[in-house]
Amino acid sequence: MLFSFPFVALALYTNRVGFLSDSHALVLAKALLAADRGRLEVIGFVYPPLPFLLATVWPSAWTVSLLSGITAGATAWLLWYDLRRTELPLVVQTLLLASVVLVPNVLFLATQSLPEMLALHLVLVAWHYFLNFVRLGHTWSGFTAGLVLGLAFFASFYAIVFALAFAVSSPIYSHLRADGEDRSPQADVARMMVIVFPALWSLASWSYLNWVFTGDPLRFLTDPVTPVLIPAAGTGSVVGAVVWSARQTLRELLLQPLFFAVAGLNVQRRRRLIIAFVSMPLILVTIRAAGFAYGELLALGTYSLVALAGIPRRVSRLGSIVLVVVALLQVVTSSTLTTRHPWLADWRNAVTLGQITVEARSERALAARLAQAPPHSILADDRVAYRVIARAGTARPFLLPTDAAFTSALDRPREQVAYLLVASRAVHPADEVSRRFAERPPDGFLLDGALAGYALFRRVDAPALLGQP
Amino acid sequence: MIGCTAQPLASGAAPAADRCPVAFWRRRPLTRVADGRQRLMTNLAKTSSAAVSPRQASETRARLGEALVQRGLLHPDELERALELQRRTGDRLGRILIALGLVRRWQLYQVLAELWGYPFVDLLHQPVDKRLARRFDPELLVAERFVPVRWEDGDVLVATSEPPSPALAEYIRGVLGPVEIKPAVTTDWDIDYAIRQSFREALLDRATMGLYYRNPSESARTVFTRWQLGALVTLGLGIAAGLYLATTATLIALVALVNVGFLANVLFRFVVSMAGAQFEHVQAISGEEVAALRDDELPTYTILVPVYREANVIGDLIENLRRLDYPSSKLEILLLLEEDDEETAAAARAARPPETVTFVTVPNGEPKTKPKACNVGLFFAKGEYLTIYDAEDRPEPDQLKKAVIAFRKGPPELVCVQAALNYYNATENVLTRMFTLEYSYWFDYILPGLDHLRLPIPLGGTSNHFRTELLRQLGGWDPFNVTEDADLGLRAAAEGYKVGVINSTTYEEANSRYGNWIRQRSRWIKGYMQTFLVHTRNPVKLVRSSGWRNLFGFVMLVGGTPLTFLCVPILWALYVAWLLARSSIGQALFPPAVLYISLFNLLIGNGLMIYLSMLAVFKRRLYSLIPFALLHPLYWMLHSIAAYRALWQLLTRPFYWEKTLHGLSRYATSTTHPGQPGEPAA
């Protein structure tokens, strides 16, 4: 709880200021929808489901912030646990932890990205058990690592990747053991199965659910809002994709001097652990080249966690000094990120100045007005309008693709709904409502008002929500 | 006719000349014994412990040993070896000589008869007067190793395998009145044989009805009590009425109930498995503890081996028991042979087992079940501890020692410790692989988990080790229950006793044939049904004695198992029908909450169960079995077939014991050492 406190406090503060990240908005909108409709099938349209399910317990922006902060605190505690096992001075341990968890990119993840924070936390937990499994041969540890990775799949698709990576590396670790561990190929395959089975089972289960509820088992991979698979930017060939991914990964690594420093210490002290340091960037290059979206902040968070969790127990005095220096350097490099991403800058302003953007204020105002509408009276597509739904704090006024009447409302809006909410700027190809009506409202509807990138059409006989009646 | 105050051979003491006056018995006052058995026991204990000095013990050893050597029955080197063993084990010289096979039992007792100064009597050829014998309590005859043989001119000839004592004479007179007693010596086998002959009906009645007489509500002899039958009928009528009046709502309620039950079962098993798996690297009893155990600290251990139509495995049985790391002189192996099973008896005789193996004929009668045979065995058991092995069992050699340590470390109310069971023919075929997956999960995760969570443990069929006296207090096994082991574990828990587990394994033969497997499994499931019915006869009492937590564990394990297997085909049928037709009827039966639970059971529940069994065989390093865990849903269908058969039998033949055939495996010869799954014999 102590470790969670700063994160929870920051998350709640930014929430109070009015900042709402895209990630939390999406989770919250779906949670509100499930709570209002009383059916969880809407999870068929959202991935990952675990944060969403957690938020469904009490769907509000506060809940998501709280969960995110608690998860971040638990992760920090795990890292602190690892640091305390080293023989580094307490000051150095504290400094190292602070240099990793109290930098903008990690704080953003910690307070504004529950799915990714959850995924990082679970993978870190799995990593600890995995090490016990391969070092000591405890079946229970392998079992727990596998289960946690299986659970992590419901927080991030990349749990599969980590599960595969752990599984593939388990024979290497086992072969490095000095005791009489069975090193037969059969034993290696068995170890791999123990690690990877739950994650693969989770993948199969989720695909099955997608198939049952959407007809497409792999829909979650290409979901319009949170796609797992995206075409790698600027590539036309496999080689091009690899080059692009490698460049992206290298850029991120340059922001992580601590990762290199700890890898260097491991070369000296614990060579077996160097596998993790070498394989991590390679894994990221591979999955990105394959078209999977692995966000920059998640990547940086992953490197930081691996670095802190991988510090050898014994570090020389010189090594300690080097670690402190690179930790400070990492703080500096991390701070440059806020200038690179506008949304990160918005968050920084919210944290430091207590201000949110004009657009965010408009969005809040729009949501407040829409929340007053009668139930299921606003035809909208939550693949675009999720931020408004989240801001509104209720999904009740909206008629959404998950509702049975959605299709007929698209065809005969005048008979089914009183309002149409469309994106007034860029129209997302998957947003059927905007695609049909953004240019011209259906007969019997007129523009009620435009706010925060949305246009609201109202039926001529319906009361105005944004403008004057 | 003479008598003397000779000390029991158990203590190794000899009758000193000055304490063994001629016709001592005659001079004793002929007072009636008020509480014969108790006083006799007490007196014997006093005479045993008070009057034995090391010098006397040494004299007896010397006399017996020398006498055997003098008669050419024993070589001096063999005597030295036996004496050396006696110094190590503290056991009787006679028992050691018999256990080592150096002297035949009857030869030994003939020499003892000479040393004690009494005639030897062969009870096989001189049958006892049954009417006379039946005037005594058979339990006491067994415990004190004597039997009245016949009247001889107003005197009574009493055969004993222990040195006669005044207390014994006093007791006999207490029963028969003022009579002269003519002692004679016979072997302990003859005593048991004579008791079996004389008390055949009583034994049969005690083995069959003992528990029922003790407390009818603890016995499965009554399948359904009135209220249970009434409740079942009411429930059936209620469902029928519901289906008639509100079909959909009733079906939804039923589907919901079943799914919630499944969910609870899955979560319960997961929690228990986690608890069991968490302590996998904590050895309950370490190798060091076993090594530190001295032979002279070890008590006599009784091993019951019930066999029926298993002539083909008798040879292996002898070999497997020979591997036990326990002083053979302190082992009492009772081979429980059914009266009508001549074939197995002949095979047992032909196998020429060591003299530590005693054949006990179980009187023929219904029900013909293993627990009935075990009750007969329990009656004759003299060990401080007792265990059961099946004929084909291959226990790890140190199992008995581990059990002894567990009992000594455990609380006084620890009545039983269960060793793990696994299979030596795991890789024989798909069925044996699946069976091994299941057993590994059950014995390596579930039972240790129940132990750690202090939940009642349904015992496994064999390798359960008991404190003999506590087992007797519990009433032994229920011969009407076809999973008497599970019932006993739960009865023990209900009566405040503890059941634990030990980290030792007995390797058995997994069923390798489907028909045989179904028969065996249907018996197990029927037994679980019986056990559930027995223990829920008085729900209020059950809650009071066990508590809610234990009750929940009991319901999940014993009630949930058969119910789950009965419901599985229905749910699968609903699921397949929905997959094929995607009809709205299927959807109507699964409102949101039910649907989510159902999906959880289907996806997460199945996945967890598969993964847990994978882990269990991984722990056992049976790597090649891991992929077979994926076949579990098919394996569970087999369980369902067995469950329906079990239900049918519960209604039509509740006490029928579906015999499992053993010795079918091609791995069955005992060339494989415990600890490793077998390879086909050459």
Side-chain angles (χ1 to χ4, degrees), chain B residues 243-260:
Chain B
L243 289 173
Y244 180 72
L245 297 170
T247 311
T248 309
T250 308
L251 285 174
I252 288 174
L254 288 174
V255 169
L257 205 65
V258 168
N259 273 292
V260 169

Side-chain angles (χ1 to χ4, degrees), chain A residues 45-183:
Chain A
F45 303 109
V46 65
Y47 181 85
L50 186 59
F52 152 79
L53 283 171
L54 291 172
T56 306
V57 176
W58 188 264
S60 82
W62 298 97
T63 308
V64 186
S65 301
L66 191 70
L67 287 171
S68 188
I70 290 171
T71 312
T75 311
W77 178 82
L78 262 180
L79 292 172
W80 180 244
Y81 171 79
D82 285 332
L83 283 168
R84 292 298 292 159
R85 290 165 69 181
T86 67
E87 292 174 3
L88 290 167
L90 184 64
V91 179
V92 176
Q93 290 173 351
T94 312
L95 195 68
L96 284 170
L97 183 68
S99 73
V100 164
V101 301
L102 298 181
V103 294
N105 57 316
V106 175
L107 281 174
F108 182 86
L109 270 184
T111 59
Q112 297 300 326
S113 188
L114 175 62
E116 290 176 324
M117 200 62 241
L118 207 52
L120 277 180
H121 177 71
L122 291 174
V123 168
L124 187 64
V125 171
W127 169 249
H128 281 88
Y129 282 108
F130 172 74
L131 283 183
N132 275 349
F133 177 58
V134 290
R135 277 181 191 159
L136 309 171
H138 290 167
T139 310
W140 189 75
S141 297
F143 170 64
T144 312
L147 277 182
V148 172
L149 286 168
L151 182 67
F153 169 80
F154 295 112
S156 167
F157 179 80
Y158 304 106
I160 294 283
V161 179
F162 284 107
L164 286 169
F166 286 4
V168 170
S169 62
S170 63
I172 304 170
Y173 281 107
S174 299
H175 283 246
L176 287 170
R177 277 176 64 181
D179 60 11
E181 183 69 4
D182 189 345
R183 292 166 186 173

Side-chain angles (χ1 to χ4, degrees), chain A residues 188-413:
Chain A
D188 287 340
V189 172
R191 271 183 216 107
M192 290 164 77
M193 278 192 79
V194 165
I195 292 297
V196 85
F197 175 79
L200 292 180
W201 185 270
S202 298
L203 171 65
S205 301
W206 190 248
S207 301
Y208 169 81
L209 285 177
N210 270 247
W211 172 69
V212 167
F213 292 116
T214 72
D216 177 7
L218 299 178
R219 177 169 177 148
F220 68 100
L221 290 179
T222 54
D223 187 275
V225 183
T226 51
V228 175
L229 267 173
I230 52 161
T235 62
S237 64
V238 175
V239 177
V242 172
V243 170
W244 175 85
S245 307
R247 277 187 186 155
Q248 170 72 11
T249 304
L250 193 61
R251 263 203 307 274
E252 289 159 359
L253 277 174
L254 290 175
L255 297 171
Q256 295 287 309
L258 188 62
F259 183 81
F260 286 110
V262 177
L265 286 175
N266 275 289
V267 171
Q268 282 184 319
R269 300 274 177 184
R270 294 186 302 178
R271 289 199 177 157
R272 72 174 66 171
L273 211 68
I274 203 68
I275 300 166
F277 288 87
V278 174
S279 56
M280 189 57 63
L282 291 178
I283 290 168
L284 293 199
V285 169
T286 310
I287 61 178
R288 280 168 171 164
F292 291 95
Y294 199 99
E296 187 178 21
L297 291 193
L298 181 61
L300 293 175
T302 312
Y303 290 134
S304 300
L305 259 55
V306 171
L308 271 199
I311 294 175
R313 181 167 291 187
R314 287 183 187 167
V315 180
S316 64
R317 194 178 172 81
L318 178 65
S320 303
I321 294 167
V322 170
L323 282 177
V324 170
V325 171
V326 292
L328 293 172
L329 187 63
Q330 180 145 321
V331 173
V332 175
T333 56
S334 297
S335 61
T336 62
L337 273 173
T338 53
T339 56
R340 200 189 290 180
H341 301 291
W343 40 270
L344 207 50
D346 293 344
W347 171 77
R348 187 193 59 195
N349 289 338
V351 172
T352 54
L353 306 172
Q355 291 174 357
I356 55 171
T357 60
V358 176
E359 175 130 349
R361 280 202 294 273
S362 307
E363 194 177 72
R364 211 155 55 156
L366 172 69
R369 300 280 184 86
L370 297 185
Q372 310 301 319
H376 308 143
S377 61
I378 307 171
L379 185 66
D381 193 328
D382 55 345
R383 283 168 289 200
V384 169
Y386 60 91
R387 288 192 62 88
V388 179
I389 298 170
R391 290 272 195 203
T394 172
R396 182 160 293 235
F398 302 92
L399 187 70
L400 300 167
T402 190
D403 295 315
F406 179 79
T407 312
S408 61
L410 267 180
D411 296 335
R412 298 181 299 280

